Amino acid sequence: MQLSSPEQLTSIIDGLLLSEAEQFDLNRRLANRSRQYFRSQIRLQRDIEGRSYQKRARRKITLDSKTHKAKDNKNMLMGFSRALKTQVNDKGFEVGLAGVVGNMARDHNEGRTLSFTTRVKGYYNSRTSRWEGGTKVKQFYQMPKRTFIGWTPALERELLAMVAEQFTAGVES
């Protein structure tokens, strides 16, 4: 059996003869496992399919002011794993991105184009801590697509195994 969407998993769980408390517990365990899977992929700097993220532009190596050693600029997405949040009820579960960091992670996950304004021929006013003068120019940046959250066959197999384990435990008792 192969699923093409998370909604099919939800319909399978609904087909089981479980009480509301048992369905909530199963959904909670499935949500936590999904979140753990996504966090581990982010920690390994890999997308949900296991491929490395697109390489970053070459950066100048900077020294840490306290240890005088080169800083490691390779872990670019480490804060995103903390933005993963789960919502669970007896009907289903969701794993999503929350907060300001979550908004940035969502832009990466979907490969959105961001717009921002800059000033051409302006100057920085140190008294007001702002850029002033010149002309405002709107620019765009295409974020490279880095998939943090998504439906994969590996995750599908893990979640189906958890559902089957719950089903066999329910049949035995």
Coordinates of all heavy atoms in Angstrom, one line a residue, residues 28-96:
R28 N -0.5 12.0 18.6 CA 0.6 12.7 19.3 C 1.9 12.0 19.0 O 2.9 12.6 18.7 CB 0.3 12.7 20.8 CG 1.4 13.4 21.6 CD 1.1 13.2 23.1 NE 0.9 11.9 23.5 CZ 1.9 11.0 23.7 NH1 3.2 11.4 23.5 NH2 1.7 9.8 24.1
R29 N 1.9 10.7 19.0 CA 3.1 9.9 18.7 C 3.6 10.1 17.2 O 4.8 10.3 16.9 CB 3.0 8.4 19.1 CG 2.9 8.2 20.6 CD 2.9 6.8 21.0 NE 1.9 6.0 20.4 CZ 2.1 4.9 19.6 NH1 3.3 4.5 19.4 NH2 1.1 4.2 19.1
L30 N 2.6 10.1 16.3 CA 2.9 10.3 14.9 C 3.5 11.7 14.7 O 4.4 11.9 13.9 CB 1.7 10.1 14.0 CG 1.2 8.7 14.0 CD1 -0.2 8.6 13.2 CD2 2.2 7.7 13.3
A31 N 2.9 12.7 15.3 CA 3.4 14.1 15.2 C 4.8 14.3 15.7 O 5.6 14.9 15.1 CB 2.4 15.1 15.9
N32 N 5.0 13.7 16.9 CA 6.4 13.8 17.5 C 7.4 13.1 16.6 O 8.5 13.6 16.4 CB 6.4 13.2 18.9 CG 5.7 14.1 19.9 OD1 5.6 15.3 19.6 ND2 5.3 13.6 21.0
R33 N 7.1 11.9 16.0 CA 8.0 11.2 15.2 C 8.3 12.0 13.9 O 9.4 12.1 13.5 CB 7.5 9.8 14.8 CG 8.4 9.0 13.9 CD 9.8 8.8 14.6 NE 10.7 8.5 13.6 CZ 11.9 9.1 13.4 NH1 12.2 10.1 14.2 NH2 12.7 8.8 12.5
S34 N 7.3 12.6 13.3 CA 7.4 13.4 12.1 C 8.4 14.6 12.4 O 9.3 14.9 11.7 CB 6.1 14.0 11.6 OG 5.3 12.9 11.3
R35 N 8.1 15.3 13.6 CA 9.0 16.4 14.0 C 10.4 16.0 14.2 O 11.3 16.7 13.7 CB 8.4 17.1 15.2 CG 9.1 18.3 15.7 CD 8.5 19.0 16.9 NE 8.0 18.1 17.9 CZ 8.8 17.5 18.8 NH1 10.1 17.7 18.8 NH2 8.3 16.7 19.7
Q36 N 10.6 14.9 14.8 CA 12.0 14.3 15.0 C 12.6 14.1 13.7 O 13.8 14.3 13.5 CB 11.9 13.1 15.9 CG 11.5 13.3 17.3 CD 11.2 12.0 18.0 OE1 11.2 10.9 17.4 NE2 11.0 12.1 19.3
Y37 N 11.9 13.5 12.8 CA 12.5 13.2 11.4 C 12.9 14.5 10.7 O 14.1 14.6 10.2 CB 11.4 12.5 10.6 CG 11.9 12.2 9.2 CD1 12.7 11.1 8.9 CD2 11.4 13.0 8.1 CE1 13.1 10.9 7.6 CE2 11.8 12.7 6.8 CZ 12.7 11.7 6.6 OH 13.0 11.4 5.3
F38 N 12.1 15.5 10.8 CA 12.4 16.8 10.1 C 13.6 17.4 10.8 O 14.5 18.0 10.1 CB 11.2 17.7 10.0 CG 10.1 17.2 9.2 CD1 8.8 17.3 9.7 CD2 10.3 16.5 8.0 CE1 7.7 16.8 8.9 CE2 9.2 16.0 7.3 CZ 7.9 16.2 7.7
R39 N 13.6 17.4 12.1 CA 14.7 18.0 12.9 C 16.0 17.3 12.6 O 17.1 17.9 12.4 CB 14.5 17.9 14.4 CG 13.7 19.0 14.9 CD 13.7 19.1 16.4 NE 13.0 20.3 16.8 CZ 12.7 20.5 18.0 NH1 12.9 19.6 19.0 NH2 12.0 21.6 18.4
S40 N 16.0 16.0 12.5 CA 17.3 15.3 12.2 C 17.8 15.6 10.8 O 19.0 15.8 10.6 CB 17.1 13.8 12.3 OG 16.2 13.3 11.3
Q41 N 16.9 15.8 9.8 CA 17.3 16.1 8.5 C 17.9 17.5 8.5 O 18.9 17.8 7.8 CB 16.1 16.1 7.5 CG 15.7 14.7 7.2 CD 16.7 13.8 6.7 OE1 17.4 13.0 7.4 NE2 17.0 13.8 5.4
I42 N 17.3 18.5 9.2 CA 17.9 19.8 9.3 C 19.2 19.8 9.9 O 20.2 20.5 9.5 CB 16.9 20.8 10.0 CG1 15.6 21.0 9.2 CG2 17.5 22.1 10.2 CD1 14.5 21.7 9.9
R43 N 19.4 19.0 11.0 CA 20.6 18.9 11.7 C 21.7 18.4 10.8 O 22.9 18.8 10.9 CB 20.4 18.0 12.9 CG 21.6 18.0 13.9 CD 21.4 17.1 15.1 NE 20.2 17.5 15.8 CZ 19.2 16.6 16.0 NH1 19.2 15.4 15.5 NH2 18.1 17.0 16.6
L44 N 21.4 17.5 9.9 CA 22.4 16.9 9.0 C 22.6 17.8 7.8 O 23.3 17.4 6.9 CB 21.9 15.5 8.5 CG 21.8 14.4 9.6 CD1 21.2 13.2 9.1 CD2 23.2 14.1 10.2
Q45 N 21.8 18.9 7.7 CA 21.9 19.8 6.6 C 21.5 19.1 5.3 O 22.1 19.3 4.2 CB 23.3 20.4 6.4 CG 23.8 21.2 7.6 CD 23.0 22.5 7.8 OE1 23.1 23.4 6.9 NE2 22.3 22.7 8.8
R46 N 20.4 18.4 5.4 CA 19.9 17.6 4.2 C 18.4 17.9 4.1 O 17.7 18.2 5.1 CB 20.1 16.1 4.4 CG 21.5 15.7 4.7 CD 21.9 14.7 3.8 NE 23.3 14.3 4.0 CZ 24.3 14.7 3.2 NH1 24.0 15.4 2.1 NH2 25.5 14.3 3.4
D47 N 17.9 17.8 2.8 CA 16.5 18.0 2.6 C 15.7 16.7 3.0 O 16.4 15.7 3.5 CB 16.1 18.4 1.2 CG 16.4 17.4 0.2 OD1 16.8 16.2 0.5 OD2 16.2 17.6 -1.0
I48 N 14.4 16.6 2.9 CA 13.7 15.5 3.3 C 14.0 14.2 2.5 O 13.7 13.1 3.0 CB 12.2 15.8 3.3 CG1 11.7 16.2 1.9 CG2 11.8 16.8 4.4 CD1 10.2 16.3 1.8
E49 N 14.5 14.4 1.4 CA 14.9 13.2 0.5 C 16.3 12.7 0.8 O 16.8 11.8 0.3 CB 14.8 13.6 -1.0 CG 13.4 13.9 -1.4 CD 12.5 12.7 -1.4 OE1 12.9 11.6 -1.4 OE2 11.3 13.0 -1.4
G50 N 17.1 13.5 1.7 CA 18.4 13.1 2.1 C 19.5 13.7 1.2 O 20.7 13.4 1.4
R51 N 19.2 14.6 0.3 CA 20.2 15.3 -0.5 C 20.7 16.5 0.2 O 19.9 17.2 1.0 CB 19.5 15.7 -1.8 CG 19.1 14.6 -2.7 CD 18.6 15.1 -4.0 NE 17.4 15.9 -3.8 CZ 16.2 15.5 -4.0 NH1 15.9 14.3 -4.4 NH2 15.2 16.4 -3.8
S52 N 22.0 16.9 0.0 CA 22.5 18.1 0.7 C 21.9 19.3 0.1 O 21.4 19.4 -1.0 CB 24.0 18.2 0.4 OG 24.7 17.1 1.0
Y53 N 21.8 20.3 1.0 CA 21.2 21.6 0.5 C 22.2 22.2 -0.5 O 23.4 21.9 -0.6 CB 21.1 22.6 1.7 CG 20.0 22.2 2.6 CD1 20.2 22.1 4.0 CD2 18.7 22.0 2.2 CE1 19.2 21.7 4.9 CE2 17.7 21.6 3.1 CZ 18.0 21.5 4.4 OH 17.0 21.1 5.3
Q54 N 21.6 23.1 -1.3 CA 22.4 23.9 -2.3 C 23.5 24.6 -1.6 O 23.4 25.2 -0.5 CB 21.5 24.9 -3.0 CG 22.2 25.7 -4.0 CD 21.2 26.8 -4.6 OE1 20.0 26.6 -4.6 NE2 21.8 27.8 -5.2
K55 N 24.7 24.5 -2.2 CA 25.9 25.2 -1.6 C 25.7 26.6 -1.4 O 25.1 27.3 -2.3 CB 27.2 24.9 -2.4 CG 27.5 23.4 -2.6 CD 28.1 22.9 -1.3 CE 28.5 21.4 -1.5 NZ 28.6 20.7 -0.3
R56 N 26.2 27.2 -0.3 CA 26.2 28.6 -0.1 C 27.3 29.3 -0.9 O 28.3 28.6 -1.3 CB 26.4 29.0 1.3 CG 25.2 28.4 2.1 CD 25.2 29.0 3.5 NE 26.4 29.0 4.2 CZ 26.6 29.5 5.4 NH1 25.7 30.1 6.0 NH2 27.8 29.4 6.0
A57 N 27.2 30.6 -1.1 CA 28.3 31.3 -1.8 C 29.5 31.3 -0.9 O 29.4 31.3 0.3 CB 27.8 32.8 -2.0
R58 N 30.7 31.3 -1.5 CA 31.9 31.3 -0.8 C 32.0 32.6 0.1 O 31.8 33.7 -0.4 CB 33.1 31.2 -1.7 CG 34.4 31.0 -1.1 CD 35.5 30.8 -2.1 NE 36.8 30.7 -1.5 CZ 37.4 29.6 -1.3 NH1 36.8 28.5 -1.7 NH2 38.5 29.5 -0.7
R59 N 32.3 32.4 1.3 CA 32.3 33.5 2.3 C 33.7 33.7 2.8 O 34.5 32.7 2.9 CB 31.4 33.3 3.4 CG 29.9 33.3 3.0 CD 29.0 33.3 4.1 NE 27.7 33.4 3.7 CZ 26.7 33.5 4.5 NH1 26.8 33.6 5.7 NH2 25.4 33.6 4.0
K60 N 34.0 34.9 3.2 CA 35.3 35.2 3.8 C 35.3 34.6 5.2 O 34.3 34.7 5.9 CB 35.5 36.7 3.9 CG 36.9 37.1 4.4 CD 37.2 38.6 4.2 CE 36.2 39.4 5.0 NZ 36.6 40.8 5.0
I61 N 36.4 33.9 5.6 CA 36.5 33.2 6.9 C 36.7 34.3 7.9 O 37.5 35.2 7.8 CB 37.6 32.2 6.9 CG1 37.3 31.1 5.9 CG2 37.8 31.7 8.3 CD1 38.4 30.1 5.8
T62 N 35.9 34.3 9.0 CA 36.0 35.2 10.1 C 36.5 34.6 11.3 O 36.4 33.3 11.5 CB 34.6 35.9 10.4 OG1 33.7 34.8 10.7 CG2 34.1 36.6 9.2
L63 N 37.2 35.3 12.1 CA 37.7 34.8 13.4 C 36.8 35.1 14.5 O 36.2 36.2 14.6 CB 39.1 35.4 13.6 CG 40.2 35.0 12.7 CD1 41.5 35.7 13.0 CD2 40.4 33.5 12.6
D64 N 36.6 34.2 15.4 CA 35.8 34.4 16.6 C 36.7 35.3 17.6 O 37.9 35.1 17.8 CB 35.5 33.1 17.3 CG 34.6 33.2 18.5 OD1 34.1 34.3 18.7 OD2 34.3 32.2 19.1
S65 N 36.1 36.4 18.1 CA 36.8 37.4 18.9 C 37.3 36.8 20.2 O 38.3 37.2 20.7 CB 35.9 38.6 19.2 OG 34.8 38.2 19.9
K66 N 36.7 35.8 20.8 CA 37.1 35.2 22.0 C 38.1 34.1 21.9 O 39.1 34.1 22.6 CB 35.9 34.7 22.8 CG 34.9 35.8 23.2 CD 33.7 35.2 23.9 CE 32.7 36.3 24.2 NZ 31.5 35.8 24.8
T67 N 37.9 33.2 21.0 CA 38.8 32.1 20.8 C 39.9 32.3 19.8 O 40.8 31.5 19.7 CB 38.1 30.8 20.5 OG1 37.4 31.0 19.3 CG2 37.1 30.5 21.6
H68 N 39.7 33.3 18.9 CA 40.7 33.6 17.8 C 40.8 32.4 16.9 O 41.9 32.2 16.3 CB 42.0 34.0 18.3 CG 41.9 35.3 19.2 ND1 41.6 36.5 18.6 CD2 42.1 35.5 20.5 CE1 41.6 37.4 19.6 NE2 41.9 36.8 20.7
K69 N 39.7 31.6 16.7 CA 39.7 30.5 15.8 C 38.7 30.8 14.7 O 37.8 31.7 14.9 CB 39.3 29.2 16.5 CG 40.4 28.7 17.5 CD 40.0 27.4 18.0 CE 41.1 26.9 19.0 NZ 40.7 25.7 19.6
A70 N 38.8 30.2 13.6 CA 37.9 30.4 12.5 C 36.5 29.9 12.8 O 36.3 28.9 13.4 CB 38.3 29.7 11.2
K71 N 35.5 30.7 12.5 CA 34.1 30.4 12.8 C 33.6 29.4 11.7 O 34.0 29.4 10.6 CB 33.2 31.6 12.7 CG 33.2 32.5 13.9 CD 32.2 33.6 13.7 CE 32.2 34.5 14.9 NZ 31.3 35.6 14.7
D72 N 32.7 28.5 12.2 CA 32.1 27.5 11.2 C 30.9 28.1 10.6 O 29.9 28.2 11.3 CB 31.8 26.2 12.0 CG 31.3 25.1 11.1 OD1 31.4 25.2 9.9 OD2 30.7 24.2 11.7
N73 N 30.9 28.4 9.4 CA 29.8 29.0 8.7 C 28.9 28.0 8.0 O 28.1 28.3 7.2 CB 30.2 30.1 7.7 CG 30.8 31.3 8.3 OD1 30.5 31.6 9.4 ND2 31.8 31.9 7.7
K74 N 29.2 26.7 8.2 CA 28.5 25.7 7.5 C 27.1 25.3 8.0 O 26.2 24.9 7.3 CB 29.3 24.4 7.4 CG 30.6 24.6 6.7 CD 31.3 23.3 6.3 CE 32.6 23.5 5.7 NZ 32.7 24.3 4.5
N75 N 26.8 25.5 9.2 CA 25.5 25.2 9.8 C 24.6 26.4 9.7 O 24.2 27.0 10.6 CB 25.7 24.8 11.3 CG 26.5 23.6 11.5 OD1 26.5 22.7 10.6 ND2 27.2 23.4 12.6
M76 N 24.1 26.6 8.5 CA 23.3 27.8 8.2 C 21.9 27.7 8.7 O 21.2 28.7 8.8 CB 23.3 28.1 6.7 CG 22.8 27.0 5.9 SD 22.9 27.5 4.2 CE 22.7 25.9 3.4
L77 N 21.3 26.5 8.9 CA 19.9 26.3 9.1 C 19.6 25.8 10.5 O 18.6 25.2 10.7 CB 19.3 25.5 8.0 CG 19.5 26.0 6.6 CD1 19.1 24.9 5.6 CD2 18.8 27.3 6.4
M78 N 20.5 25.9 11.4 CA 20.3 25.2 12.7 C 19.2 25.8 13.5 O 18.5 25.1 14.2 CB 21.6 25.3 13.5 CG 22.8 24.6 12.9 SD 22.4 22.9 12.5 CE 22.5 22.1 14.1
G79 N 18.9 27.1 13.4 CA 17.8 27.7 14.2 C 16.4 27.3 13.7 O 15.4 27.4 14.4
F80 N 16.4 26.8 12.4 CA 15.1 26.4 11.9 C 14.5 25.2 12.5 O 13.2 25.1 12.6 CB 15.2 26.2 10.4 CG 15.5 27.4 9.6 CD1 15.9 27.3 8.2 CD2 15.4 28.7 10.1 CE1 16.1 28.4 7.5 CE2 15.7 29.8 9.3 CZ 16.0 29.7 8.0
S81 N 15.3 24.3 13.1 CA 14.7 23.1 13.7 C 13.9 23.4 14.9 O 13.0 22.7 15.3 CB 15.8 22.1 14.0 OG 16.6 22.6 15.0
R82 N 14.3 24.5 15.6 CA 13.5 24.9 16.8 C 12.2 25.6 16.4 O 11.3 25.7 17.3 CB 14.3 25.9 17.6 CG 15.5 25.3 18.3 CD 16.1 26.3 19.3 NE 16.7 27.4 18.7 CZ 17.9 27.6 18.2 NH1 18.7 26.5 18.2 NH2 18.3 28.7 17.6
A83 N 12.0 26.0 15.2 CA 10.7 26.6 14.7 C 9.7 25.5 14.4 O 8.5 25.9 14.1 CB 11.0 27.5 13.5
L84 N 10.1 24.2 14.4 CA 9.1 23.2 14.1 C 8.1 23.0 15.3 O 8.5 22.8 16.4 CB 9.8 21.9 13.8 CG 10.6 21.8 12.5 CD1 11.4 20.5 12.5 CD2 9.7 21.8 11.3
K85 N 6.9 23.1 15.0 CA 5.8 23.0 16.0 C 4.8 22.0 15.6 O 4.5 21.8 14.4 CB 5.1 24.3 16.3 CG 6.1 25.4 16.6 CD 6.7 25.2 18.0 CE 7.6 26.4 18.3 NZ 8.6 26.0 19.3
T86 N 4.2 21.3 16.5 CA 3.2 20.3 16.2 C 1.8 20.8 16.8 O 1.8 21.4 17.9 CB 3.5 18.9 16.8 OG1 3.7 19.0 18.2 CG2 4.8 18.4 16.2
Q87 N 0.8 20.4 16.1 CA -0.6 20.6 16.7 C -1.3 19.2 16.5 O -1.3 18.6 15.5 CB -1.4 21.6 15.9 CG -0.9 23.0 16.0 CD -1.7 24.0 15.3 OE1 -2.5 23.7 14.5 NE2 -1.4 25.3 15.5
V88 N -1.9 18.8 17.7 CA -2.5 17.5 17.7 C -3.9 17.6 18.3 O -4.1 18.3 19.2 CB -1.6 16.5 18.6 CG1 -2.2 15.1 18.7 CG2 -0.2 16.5 18.1
N89 N -4.8 16.8 17.7 CA -6.1 16.6 18.3 C -6.5 15.1 17.9 O -5.7 14.4 17.3 CB -7.2 17.6 17.8 CG -7.3 17.6 16.3 OD1 -7.2 16.6 15.6 ND2 -7.7 18.8 15.8
D90 N -7.7 14.7 18.3 CA -8.1 13.4 18.1 C -8.4 13.1 16.6 O -8.5 12.0 16.2 CB -9.3 12.9 19.0 CG -10.5 13.8 18.7 OD1 -10.3 15.0 18.3 OD2 -11.6 13.3 18.9
K91 N -8.6 14.1 15.8 CA -8.9 14.0 14.4 C -7.6 13.9 13.5 O -7.7 13.3 12.4 CB -9.7 15.2 13.9 CG -11.0 15.4 14.6 CD -12.0 14.4 14.2 CE -13.4 14.7 14.8 NZ -14.0 13.6 15.4
G92 N -6.5 14.5 13.9 CA -5.3 14.4 13.1 C -4.2 15.2 13.8 O -4.3 15.6 14.9
F93 N -3.1 15.4 13.0 CA -2.0 16.2 13.5 C -1.3 17.0 12.4 O -1.5 16.7 11.3 CB -0.9 15.2 14.2 CG -0.2 14.4 13.2 CD1 1.0 14.8 12.6 CD2 -0.7 13.1 12.8 CE1 1.7 14.0 11.7 CE2 0.0 12.3 11.9 CZ 1.1 12.8 11.3
E94 N -0.6 18.0 12.8 CA 0.1 18.9 11.9 C 1.5 19.2 12.4 O 1.7 19.3 13.6 CB -0.6 20.3 11.8 CG -2.0 20.2 11.1 CD -2.6 21.6 11.1 OE1 -1.9 22.6 11.3 OE2 -3.8 21.7 10.9
V95 N 2.4 19.2 11.5 CA 3.8 19.7 11.8 C 4.1 20.9 10.9 O 4.0 20.7 9.7 CB 4.8 18.6 11.6 CG1 6.2 19.1 11.9 CG2 4.5 17.4 12.5
G96 N 4.4 22.0 11.5 CA 4.6 23.2 10.8 C 5.7 24.1 11.3 O 6.4 23.7 12.3

